[in-house]
Amino acid sequence: MTQPSNNQASHFWRLSAEALSAQLGCSLHGLSAAAADERLDRFGPNTDAPPRIEGAARAILRRLLEPLSLILLVAGIISMLTGDEIGGLIIVLILALSIGLDTIQEGHAVRAAEILRRSVALKAEVSRDGAFVDIDVERVVPGDLLRVRAGDIIPADALILESTAFTAGEAALTGEPYPVQKRAGPCAGPDDTSNALFRGAVAQTGEAIALVVRTGRDTVFGAAASALAEAQAPSPFERDLREFGLVIARATLALVLVVLTIRVVFGRPVLDSLLFAVALAVGLTPELLPMITTVTLSRGALRMARRKVIVKRLAAIHDLGAMTVLCTDKTGTLTSAEITLARSLDAAGKDDARAARLGAIAASLGGDRGALDAALVAGRPEACQGWTLAGRQAFDFSRRLGSVLATGPEGARLIVKGAPETVLELCAMDQHAREAATARVHALATEGLRTVAIASRAWSGALREVETDDETDLVFEGLCAFADPPKPTAAAAIARLAAGGVRLKILSGDDPVVVKRLAALVGLNAERVLSGADIAELSDEALAVQVRSADAFGRLAPDQKSRIVKALQAGGEVVGFLGDGINDAPALKVADVGLSVDGATGVAQAAADMILLASDLEVVADGVEEGRRTFANILKYVRMGASSNFGNMLSMAAASIALPFLPMLPTQILLNNLLYDLSELGIPFDRVSAQATAQPQVWSMSRLVRFAAIMGPLSSVFDFLTFGALLYLFKASPDEFRTAWFVESMATQILVIFVIRTYGRPWHNWPDPVLAASSLIALFAAIALPFTPLGTWFGFVAPPPIMMAGIALLVVVYLACAELLKPFAIRTGPTG
């Protein structure tokens, strides 16, 4: 026998009880204790795959092995070994602080298996040796005869053999907000699961006896849990950062080897050449990038917390800003997840409060109080005033109706409510009127409304309990229509996301008719709704084509939601998924950024990267803006390195080969790099223009390369002009040359941030005071240093005033040229 997750039981509700018991190799009367123990050994315990829990040491090692981290670590160690202990120690400390912050921030991830373990029943009632006994849920096996009662959490997937007025709440599994009636017997169609129980659902009314078919990770619930145990693929931001690190590593290695080789070939001192090459490597490496990234993301996380978004994974902030498609379940996110009375119609289909008033009396006095009853009472809270209960017939799920005998202002009256097709048959009405009422029910269904029929008649005779035979010759009073309405803010939030370049798609387990109606109400393309049955017929390639044009999907299984997410990713989209149910966990896991809500199932929260404290798309839209703002500030630091830092290092390498002396001493290079990095500590605090948050922000290596190809050479051109002026115009000595170029290099590197930090003109978008202060203080220190005793220790001399004036002029011209070339360097989109 194989585990029942194979094709033999993948759609077990389509099989008869006898056929299923034959496949499972068991009877329909339960197992013996010995047989159950044997099956427990064969199938394993009714638990889920344990999640991959990454320890602190492993998390630190993973981050340390990133290309950029390895470069920094090697550069820091070499710096310390070659005499620059302070510079090397600073690099290593920066790296350690960045990795530490990142690890601590993400170390609060929820332990998915523990949440799963706590969210299911601890005991189950099964038949062993001919008697029902309570056992640990972990010991339930395929072939067990299971009994569940109202209030139980269903412990396994099973086929119903007997049921009495049984309903189950499957909202966490399917997204369907209404209780689902469950009964024994053959299913009505391939997708009809009314004869099946699923692990994780909650029994709401009645009692059922069922044959266990699937346990543990082979259940629908277990499949969601297994997805959490799989290692998550790197996010777009993590992939991009790794790629950037590899590019920097290759460029650094190439430049160092070329400079070292040429200097040695030209007979320059080997040790000086080695120290200079190491200093170049450090100068090329954006050692503050990990810290700038972590601090910027952490500040973004704090700002998002104020906007009611809790960030579990820092990199997800960028991914949210880069998101181009948001997939969402409908219940609780687009809708309120609160069933409300939408309309009350009379027998002719006109709006009239009488049907709702009588329905509320029946609901209040009948004692059933399901979700629809609660909506009736909430819709007409004053209806039962003056009415008292004289008798009743409890709601019968086989007949799908119930009735009450009440006395009140209209005297004694029998009120019947239930499924329209059942109630209409009991009413004294002609066939034409019955057909018209049935057509009205179907029309309301196309509007996403569920209906309950109300009928009544005056009661004559003594007051007593109601019998079935009393429910005849009824007067059809009308229909009560119920809705799970869209949130008032949903349409505006969807429009706001669309204006920001984010398309929204509904991925629901609910009926496609309901999904289509909701899509139309919130402003989405509702012409075509793909159902789970449609998707099951499509290959992954065909699905990738279909998802481009469809915005609404209904009757989806959990694996189909994740298939849709993967199909969108295959088309180059950065996909977010917002869900709150067990059925959403696989999609939350595979999405580039998973979003759940406060109050969602533990499984959904475990799989998500962010948790929304308010279940509202407006919060998502706020988070998208924050993600783009955060990424824009990170990109400023990266562009700084591409525009000036990289250009200066190239200039230094070229000058070291052409000049008879080193253009800058190794300690001066390291000091240059340190002051430059300190100047950028204010970047995480900087303001961001509205242009930066207008469209998805994607880390594009091609854009960075183009930016470097334009702005880097511009920096080098002005370096070479500086060299020429110092050598031929000012006749500078080696010490004067190094000092003047140090000042020019610092001024161009630091001040250019005010040019490239914004797409528009700098004077139209002033920097944050923190960034302005950090930049100008570092620049002042660089300019003042040669005129202090400390400057002599670094090999600087005080340059003559005329030389400083010439340097200042070159810096001003450089900044003007950078402003003119900036639109060409970043022409495909705003920076911030």
Side-chain angles (χ1 to χ4, degrees), residues 159-164 166 182-187 194-196 208-209:
L159 182 74
I160 296 177
L161 303 181
E162 302 174 23
S163 66
T164 304
F166 189 79
K182 297 290 185 177
R183 42 99 187 122
C187 60
S194 60
N195 59 350
I209 294 177

Side-chain angles (χ1 to χ4, degrees), residues 181 271 510 759:
Q181 180 187 352
L271 182 58
D510 212 341
Y759 184 69

Side-chain angles (χ1 to χ4, degrees), residues 23 29 119 289 366 571 685 746 792:
Q23 289 187 355
H29 305 291
S119 63
L289 181 58
F685 304 87
M746 290 304 305
T792 306

Side-chain angles (χ1 to χ4, degrees), residues 45 66 76 112 116 158 208 257 294 361 367 492 497 535 559 572 579 640 751 802 808:
E66 290 292 323
L116 283 169
L257 289 177
T294 302
I361 294 170
L497 287 168
I535 290 171
D559 64 310
M640 281 290 296
L751 293 177
I802 187 66

Side-chain angles (χ1 to χ4, degrees), residues 639 696-698 700-708 825 828-830:
R639 283 180 172 161
Q697 290 279 6
V698 180
S700 170
M701 286 305 300
S702 61
R703 294 183 188 178
L704 289 176
V705 169
R706 185 183 66 250
F707 190 89
T828 59

